[in-house]
Amino acid sequence: MKDAFSLQDKVAIVTGGNGGIGKAITRGMAAAGADLAIAARNETKTEEAVREIQEEFGTKAIGLKVDLQQEAQIHAMAAKVLKTFGRIDILINNAGTNIRKLPQDYTAAEWDEVLNTNLRGAFLCSQAVYPAMKSAGRGKVISIGSMTSLFGGAKVVLYGISKGGIVQMTRGLAVAWAPDNIQVNAILPGFINTDLSRQARKDVPELETQVISRTPVKRWGEPEEMAGAAVFLASQASDFITGVALPADGGYSIIL
Ligand code: NDP
């Protein structure tokens, strides 16, 4: 299989692609040849990410202002990408948010914010790209879970519900869309240096050392280290892989 890892001539949507893990994934996919649509709320950060891709990798990139809590904006996003590029080959459901509290203290509005962004948003984005992928006869949907997809934590109950849901969504969509030649997989990052985890380390000061002592490789991960798994799962090299939740965690999930 020649150039099985190439994303040349492919078009990818990356939600939350303007920062952290999402931005590192867009850069990895651009390096593999993909054209990108970066969907997030902060237009300044998105413009910067688009400019970097165009200048450094020479592939096409557009930015879209999308709040994943708004269903209409998700459908407008898919329509705009189709209109601009004529195809959608890859969806990366990466955008995510967290509110750290004990479960008894959450409001219903906070449930909505976390679950609607992380899980409902990912599901609606997957639905929105499905018709284009089905009619093309192929597609790749990749969603970002977490170690909380696997483990419980006292102050990440809502986040864990959303990330556990990502794994079950992945399995269900993988089965449903296998006849359409659409592969659906998840990546479960370990503890990665981003704005989201910087906030977590502020909220829970002992997290920094807890992560290092438990992780077999004895360090936090960098966003760039998530790009390889995303490129692999977005490429032809993974055409017989569907429904998996791949930890990219320095061994965090396999140590006794
Ligand atoms: P960041 O906070 O750096 O990035 C989150 C991204 O999501 C931003 O680009 C943000 O863009 C976007 N986003 C948030 N809410 C919305 C919304 N309502 N609509 C559209 N976009 C939104 O976090 P990370 O890079 O760390 O996280 C990326 C993913 O990886 C998340 O799903 C997270 O749960 C997951 N993850 C992170 C880990 C870590 O250790 N960092 C570990 C495991 C999983 P904007 O604000 O412009 O909308």
Side-chain angles (χ1 to χ4, degrees):
M1 202 189 288
K2 197 166 169 265
D3 293 334
F5 296 90
S6 170
L7 300 181
Q8 206 75 45
D9 302 323
K10 302 292 185 195
V11 172
I13 298 175
V14 182
T15 68
N18 65 4
I21 291 172
K23 186 172 181 181
I25 288 176
T26 64
R27 293 171 59 83
M29 300 214 311
D35 294 331
L36 270 309
I38 294 174
R41 295 163 305 175
N42 184 320
E43 290 178 288
T44 311
K45 278 172 63 186
T46 300
E47 276 166 27
E48 175 68 21
V50 165
R51 193 167 48 247
E52 280 181 27
I53 286 175
Q54 288 166 341
E55 286 173 6
E56 289 182 43
F57 303 101
T59 62
K60 294 194 197 93
I62 60 167
L64 300 169
K65 184 170 162 54
V66 180
D67 181 347
L68 290 181
Q69 295 191 66
Q70 306 299 328
E71 183 178 7
Q73 294 185 22
I74 291 173
H75 289 288
M77 167 191 82
K80 175 75 180 169
V81 175
L82 264 184
K83 190 162 179 238
T84 307
F85 295 106
R87 55 193 295 154
I88 304 171
D89 301 285
I90 301 155
L91 167 67
I92 311 280
N93 284 315
N94 162 79
T97 192
N98 191 10
I99 301 171
R100 289 183 165 266
K101 279 184 178 181
L102 288 169
Q104 56 271 31
D105 297 331
Y106 284 114
T107 64
E110 288 168 337
W111 165 284
D112 288 346
E113 183 180 338
V114 175
L115 271 291
N116 287 354
T117 305
N118 297 4
L119 187 55
R120 179 178 180 265
F123 182 72
L124 294 178
C125 286
S126 306
Q127 278 188 325
V129 300
Y130 173 71
M133 290 183 179
K134 182 179 166 61
S135 67
R138 59 174 54 245
K140 302 278 187 180
V141 175
I142 300 155
S143 303
I144 307 300
S146 152
M147 288 298 102
T148 66
S149 300
L150 306 173
F151 303 113
K155 289 194 173 174
V156 287
V157 172
L158 291 190
Y159 185 76
I161 293 169
S162 73
K163 295 300 188 179
I166 285 288
V167 172
Q168 280 309 99
M169 179 187 85
T170 295
R171 293 179 179 141
L173 296 183
V175 173
W177 295 347
D180 302 310
N181 192 28
I182 299 169
Q183 288 81 49
V184 186
N185 292 294
I187 298 169
L188 311 185
F191 289 80
I192 314 298
N193 273 317
T194 67
D195 289 347
L196 197 68
S197 61
R198 268 186 281 282
Q199 185 58 46
R201 276 177 275 180
K202 260 192 219 154
D203 297 344
V204 187
E206 62 275 20
L207 187 64
E208 173 80 30
T209 50
Q210 273 174 5
V211 166
I212 293 172
S213 70
R214 176 179 164 146
T215 307
V217 301
K218 297 296 173 213
R219 64 177 178 82
W220 284 62
E222 296 304 324
E224 295 70 31
E225 294 180 292
M226 301 299 106
V231 169
F232 168 60
L233 292 174
S235 73
Q236 198 192 340
S238 61
D239 276 359
F240 200 56
I241 297 174
T242 198
V244 307
L246 173 66
D249 66 350
Y252 187 94
S253 61
I254 50 84
I255 194 164
L256 190 63

